[in-house]
Amino acid sequence: MKANLTDRTLGALKKKPADPGARYDVWDASQPGFGVRINDKGRCVFIVAKRLAGGKNPSRFTVGEYPAVSLAEARRKARSLVD
């Protein structure tokens, strides 16, 4: 699923946890490869999907947990990982 990630969107996602034992990803519509993963307890973790040199499939990297890491800071870290 894609969405415009904002603080308001992240707050709403925290209130909609995944099914027990599961998790789901929401990708940012404005920054490719950047998103948030929500687990069954409502924990939101910023992630970046990046294809490593010589690899077929993209790998996911954790940038930080919301709200300890702000959305703006997570976007900056994600850009530095992708570049």
Side-chain angles (χ1 to χ4, degrees):
M1 168 169 57
K2 279 191 175 185
N4 288 322
L5 292 182
T6 63
D7 285 322
R8 185 175 182 175
T9 305
L10 293 171
L13 290 172
K14 285 181 75 70
K15 294 177 184 175
K16 294 181 183 177
D19 294 331
R23 60 186 179 203
Y24 66 95
D25 298 337
V26 178
W27 298 101
D28 190 21
S30 63
Q31 186 173 347
F34 176 68
V36 65
R37 176 172 277 175
I38 299 91
N39 70 5
D40 58 347
K41 294 177 179 37
R43 181 176 174 222
C44 293
V45 177
F46 294 112
I47 57 172
V48 176
K50 179 182 178 179
R51 190 173 316 237
L52 299 176
K56 285 185 182 181
N57 300 320
S59 297
R60 287 189 174 97
F61 299 94
T62 301
V63 176
E65 184 176 348
Y66 181 79
V69 175
S70 70
L71 178 59
E73 185 179 347
R75 286 184 192 276
R76 280 192 296 274
K77 287 182 179 182
R79 277 189 218 106
S80 69
L81 281 173
V82 173
D83 292 339

